[in-house]
């Protein structure tokens, strides 16, 4: 079973697919977005530094992100992992390659989840999460719609949106992704590590495509 690097636009389904993979295979899910949102919620110095950047849909600096991932990879050494949200720039991809060499990590695949901007925007604007138990739903997806609007199916808690799930921030995040993506894709293509899987569909065919490439 290979370690996974997800490369994908906002709301393509990185978090959703990661949760399936954690359940089926016991991967450690390393989501840089979740790590930063936890830092914001805890009121830490890092959280205060990045809050505005995230709300606007801009990228946090490479230095901060590379240090975060270096610490995380060192602490989980030996366990299979998913990188969800890193690398997002060519600099980050190069730094990750260095880390892999230093930590002797060679069993990995970079999976590009392809999705149209229109569909990704719909998923972003429809995404809601239970503030009590953290379960995710989507207002605009038949597959993931809550039974009762605004209420969690599991625990009855309130469903809330992420502060960066608005049209302006989504556009910024998506356009930033497109700007950086080509060089990152080329980087992993040159290393012979790239797999491309469609996310323009329900989550199961995407998951089946991922399962195939991690077990190849
Ligand atoms: P991050 O949290 O990573 O946000 P993102 O990349 O914009 O991705 P999302 O979490 O929005 O989408 P996702 O692909 O996980 O989709 P999900 O599965 O939830 O990063 C946030 C911010 O942190 C960045 O903007 C940046 O500021 C900063 N940051 C993080 N990493 C950084 C880095 N390395 N460098 C610099 N800055 C960094 O799915 C979306 C919705 O669709 C859900 O509601 C889900 O239920 C639904 N859904 C999923 N799949 C399907 C399907 N197949 N059919 C129907 N609905 C579906
Ligand atoms: Mg996510």
């Amino acid at each position: 079973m290979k370690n996974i690097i997800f490369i994908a636009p906002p709301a393509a389904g990185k978090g959703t697919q990661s949760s399936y993979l954690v359940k089926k295979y016991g991967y450690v899910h390393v989501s840089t977005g979740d790590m930063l949102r936890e830092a914001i919620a805890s009121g830490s110095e890092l959280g205060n530094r990045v809050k505005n950047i995230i709300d606007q849909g801009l990228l946090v600096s490479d230095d901060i992100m590379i240090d975060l991932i270096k610490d995380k990879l060192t602490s989980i050494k030996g366990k299979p992992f998913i990188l969800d949200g890193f690398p997002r720039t060519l600099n980050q991809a190069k730094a990750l390659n260095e880390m892999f060499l230093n930590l002797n990590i060679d069993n990995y695949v970079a999976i590009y989840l392809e999705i149209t901007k229109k569909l990704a925007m719909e998923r972003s604007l429809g995404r809601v999460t239970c503030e009590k138990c953290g379960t995710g739903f989507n207002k605009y997806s038949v597959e993931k719609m809550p039974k009762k609007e605004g209420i969690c199916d599991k625990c009855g808690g309130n469903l809330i949106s992420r502060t960066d799930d608005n049209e302006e921030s989504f556009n910024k995040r998506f356009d930033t992704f497109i700007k950086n993506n080509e060089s990152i894709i080329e980087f992993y293509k040159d290393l012979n590590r790239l797999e491309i899987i469609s996310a323009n569909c329900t989550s199961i065919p995407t998951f089946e495509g991922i399962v195939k490439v991690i077990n190849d």
Side-chain angles (χ1 to χ4, degrees):
M1 200 169 72
K2 291 175 185 154
N3 296 303
I4 300 170
I5 301 169
F6 274 135
I7 306 163
K14 301 181 291 294
T16 303
Q17 295 297 333
S18 296
S19 71
Y20 300 162
L21 290 158
V22 167
K23 206 167 162 197
K24 186 165 167 126
Y25 297 106
Y27 276 101
V28 178
H29 179 208
V30 181
S31 160
T32 43
D34 289 348
M35 287 160 84
L36 295 170
R37 282 184 288 276
E38 277 158 25
I40 293 170
S42 75
S44 69
E45 196 206 324
L46 170 67
N48 293 334
R49 277 166 71 190
V50 300
K51 182 170 184 347
N52 279 338
I53 300 173
I54 291 190
D55 285 351
Q56 290 174 68
L58 302 171
L59 288 183
V60 174
S61 77
D62 283 346
D63 289 352
I64 292 180
M65 297 314 301
I66 289 167
D67 282 350
L68 259 186
I69 288 296
K70 214 179 261 176
D71 288 350
K72 190 73 187 178
L73 280 185
T74 309
S75 75
I76 62 165
K77 200 179 164 209
K79 296 184 190 142
F81 59 83
I82 301 168
L83 291 184
D84 162 356
F86 187 98
R88 269 180 154 100
T89 63
L90 184 59
N91 255 346
Q92 292 182 14
K94 287 179 178 168
L96 184 63
N97 207 32
E98 277 290 302
M99 289 178 225
F100 281 3
L101 289 173
N102 291 335
L103 295 166
N104 279 324
I105 296 170
D106 188 42
N107 184 27
Y108 73 94
V109 58
I111 299 178
Y112 174 26
L113 296 178
E114 256 185 339
I115 186 167
T116 64
K117 184 171 184 179
K118 187 169 174 281
L119 188 54
M121 185 186 285
E122 191 179 289
R123 286 187 190 166
S124 170
L125 300 186
R127 172 170 44 198
V128 281
T129 307
C130 176
E131 62 181 352
K132 234 163 140 189
C133 73
T135 303
F137 297 90
N138 200 291
K139 290 187 273 187
Y140 304 138
S141 148
V142 181
E143 193 187 336
K144 299 184 179 297
M145 204 178 287
K147 290 194 181 82
K148 214 167 152 197
E149 201 187 326
I151 305 291
C152 176
D153 292 359
K154 276 199 186 154
C155 76
N158 286 327
L159 299 180
I160 52 167
S161 296
R162 256 168 52 178
T163 49
D164 59 349
D165 275 339
N166 55 71
E167 209 170 318
E168 195 184 341
S169 174
F170 171 84
N171 275 322
K172 193 88 211 156
R173 277 148 65 205
F174 196 94
D175 295 346
T176 305
F177 174 82
I178 295 297
K179 193 175 113 225
N180 292 324
N181 189 39
E182 204 173 317
S183 59
I184 298 176
I185 292 294
E186 280 306 311
F187 183 79
Y188 286 110
K189 208 192 260 172
D190 287 349
L191 290 173
N192 224 357
R193 299 287 183 165
L194 183 71
E195 295 285 347
I196 302 173
I197 295 176
S198 174
N200 290 301
C201 51
T202 54
S203 53
I204 300 306
T206 304
F207 183 63
E208 287 168 351
I210 295 169
V211 167
K212 194 166 174 297
V213 304
I214 59 174
N215 288 308
D216 254 2

